[in-house]
Amino acid sequence: MARVKVKSFSVIRDVLGSEVVEIDVRKPETVGELFEELVRRYGQPFKEKIWDPNSGQMAPFLIKLNESIISSTLDIDHKIKNGDEIAIIFPIGGG
Amino acid sequence: MAKNFPYGGYMGQLLRVNLSNRGISKEDLRKDWARDFVGGVGLTARILYEEIPPKIDPLGPENKLVMMTGPVNGTMIPAASRSSFCAKSPYTRSFFHSIFGGFLGPELKFAGYDGLIIEGRADKPVYLWIDDDRIEIRDASHLWGKDPFTTQDILRSEIGDEEIHIATIGLAGEEKAPYAMILCDIRAAGRGGMGAVMGSKNLKAIAVRGTGSVSVPNMLRVYNTAVRINELFATTPAVQGLSGYGTPRNVAAMNEGGILPTRNWQTETFKGMKNITGEVMREQVVKGDRACFACSINCTKYSVVPKGPYKSVINGADYETIYAFGSICEVDNLEVLCKADELCDHYGIDLISTGVSIGWAMECYEKGIFTKKDTDGIDLRFGNADGMLQVIEKIGKREGLGELLAKGTRDAAKIVGKGTDRFAIQNKGLEWPGHTCRPFPAAAVGYATGPRGGSHHDIRPTAEKSGLVDRKTLEGKGALAAEVNHWLILGDSMLVCHLAEPIWGPLKISDSMINVLNAVTGWELNYEQARKIAEREWNIIRCFSAREGFTREDDQLPIRFMEEPVPEGPMQGSYIPKETLERLKDDYFTYRGWDLKTGNPTREKLSELGLDFAVKDIGKGN
């Protein structure tokens, strides 16, 4: 089990209720498992902010893992560990 | 369907107004051009290629200002209220399209016209009143010198109709300031000096009232398509959030990702960000949401600062306001940013070029290149909020330092010298929006080769900055940039809003975009056919630039992005060295079938696209 801090903004922050929340991630302790846990905890309101209903997969967005940048589409199996800080850099379109 | 026009969505008619001889004519829209170039920007590029000789003075009577709609405008399709002003730009000196939302485009169609071509120059200030079939060129002496919103109030009052829609210029447009904009009700055709072109024609305003409607071949099909697009807006993650926070939803996330341009792009992380986010804006100043015609997104925020030195009422702020006056100038006071936005509307100047020009001047000051003698006594350090507002006023009035900055950073740096071009954040003369390319190669080559230069609507960095594609590789980035060009230009011809990017793109022209176009027009285009139209449009615009003398050498990035890596944050070390850009250009030109040496479309490419008429102008030597 890895306890990580998740930081979010805008509509995702609204669903999580706070800019930073702490989440316990079960094995295999990956980025993908973190988002599965977020869905279990926050349910459909979270899922519809993250999952693309047309593709049935997570939408593309960037994830800041400590000081490095990874992506929801390319790095879903990326390992995370206790104490990691993760920011959901999403959505970043428009403007 | 419109009388004598075979395709749905079109009114089948253009309005032409010659201000020199006060000639007004209505002419049939060419069916072949509608089919080959759709409308909006693509169609206007074809018209202006035909009608404007090369090398004319953009502020002379030979230039033409065209307001054009697309077939989708005025139907129930959401995010399709856009319209375009196009001309040869006095700022970038080539074809320029400046897009705006709101209600004016649909209203012009309801009056019976797909587009409006303005020629010549009036001998005194005038405004144009379009009331369905009745067209009048009216005296505007009493409006000259008035700001855009006051002008709109006067016109609505004297015409006696609160619901007319109006495009108007401010003082900057009257003075032909290079980056003067056109305010269209509350939305702006902000970029590229279209307001200066309008001012050069002594045309203060265009007021429109239309009582007709847009016909489509199969109403049920259009209705079902609109329902589907609205469903996609409601369920697509990247569109959600625009309703609540508008485009400023991006501020905090982009800062976290290390891609919020700061301190005139010296870095891309802003320490004062937490005070100017979309979330803070919503809590502190937003009083309501506003939508464009038939749109369910409601991205425009109506904001009020009720009292104090920064008292203001604006439709914004948008992300670009927060970027241009906030992080670029290191001002972390949201009320100041609202005031800056209001001042730009008041004078009628493009807020991106204004903010980035002030950021350049602040860097000149902090480097000791400018002293207080150059800044009219203002201590123009980064973060000086009141100093920044003073300089906006000076740009609007073209006083003192404002006269220099009103020319934009390219020309100002030429005048000042001393290496200040190295931190002038522009290419092809146009200041950059708040979307970086330093970590994103496809975006870099897209910006460099785009017809307008610093426009995030000729390329979108979204695919790379969302992780949809691998941002670190150079492979395939020429092709990606070209296909993003294609969905953008087809969108600008239909005219749909780029904010719905995941629906219309984001990697290439989407099925949704083609479905909308087919439903409205009655065409049955497949992907290859739609792509060919877009490619034709992109090539005719490139031909326009080539005919003006632009070549591969003009496809550059701001020097800072080619020489200075991002110094901190998650994107630390990212930049696009000159040799990398040249490699990307080779890749892009090869994919496009353009000549590698000149960057021009080849004779074969032009022939393939049915643009043989352009070979004589630019095909030589290919």
Side-chain angles (χ1 to χ4, degrees), chain B residues 4 44 59-60 62 80 86 103 108 111 130 203 211-212 240 260 267 289 322 331 350 361 422 427 468 485 496 502 536:
Chain B
N4 296 328
T44 307
L59 297 177
E62 304 87 358
C86 302
F103 293 80
L108 186 69
I130 300 171
L203 180 62
T211 57
Q240 297 174 24
L260 182 66
T267 186
D289 307 313
I322 293 174
V331 171
D350 172 28
R422 309 194 84 75
N427 67 314
L468 190 58
N485 295 155
V496 296
R536 182 182 298 119

Side-chain angles (χ1 to χ4, degrees), chain B residues 241-371:
Chain B
L242 281 169
S243 296
Y245 297 105
T247 53
R249 70 180 180 170
N250 282 340
V251 174
M254 290 178 72
N255 196 60
E256 192 73 21
I259 50 174
L260 182 66
T262 299
R263 199 176 174 82
N264 195 34
W265 293 82
Q266 291 180 53
T267 186
E268 301 200 15
T269 308
F270 181 35
K271 291 181 175 61
M273 174 279 301
K274 65 180 187 304
N275 300 323
I276 56 172
T277 64
E279 293 88 331
V280 170
M281 189 177 116
R282 182 90 218 177
E283 289 163 14
Q284 293 187 357
V285 297
V286 172
K287 302 300 177 193
D289 307 313
R290 289 181 168 176
C292 297
F293 178 87
C295 189
S296 56
I297 295 180
N298 293 299
C299 72
T300 300
K301 303 301 135 202
Y302 172 69
S303 300
V304 177
V305 177
K307 60 185 178 183
Y310 311 121
K311 182 179 176 182
S312 48
V313 178
I314 62 168
N315 293 286
D318 283 319
Y319 168 75
E320 298 299 343
T321 319
I322 293 174
Y323 147 78
F325 298 112
S327 57
I328 281 294
C329 297
E330 289 200 321
V331 171
D332 64 356
N333 183 326
L334 193 58
E335 293 188 356
V336 172
L337 305 189
C338 291
K339 188 66 186 176
D341 189 309
E342 186 183 72
L343 285 172
C344 288
D345 282 354
H346 178 81
Y347 289 108
I349 46 179
D350 172 28
L351 62 82
I352 295 177
S353 287
T354 301
V356 176
S357 294
I358 295 173
W360 173 83
M362 286 176 160
E363 188 162 346
C364 287
Y365 186 78
E366 291 213 347
K367 282 183 156 69
I369 297 166
F370 282 177
T371 67

Side-chain angles (χ1 to χ4, degrees), chain A residues 3 7 9 15 22 25 29 32 35-36 42-43 45-47 49 52-53 56 58 60 68 72-73 80 82 85 92 94:
Chain A
R3 171 161 289 195
K7 190 175 187 181
F9 312 97
V15 172
E22 286 198 314
V25 184
E29 298 175 350
F35 280 93
E36 292 292 342
Y42 295 97
F46 177 76
K47 187 168 184 175
K49 299 289 182 290
D52 185 330
M58 274 214 288
S68 63
S72 67
T73 48
I80 54 177
N82 204 43
E85 295 187 359
I92 297 185

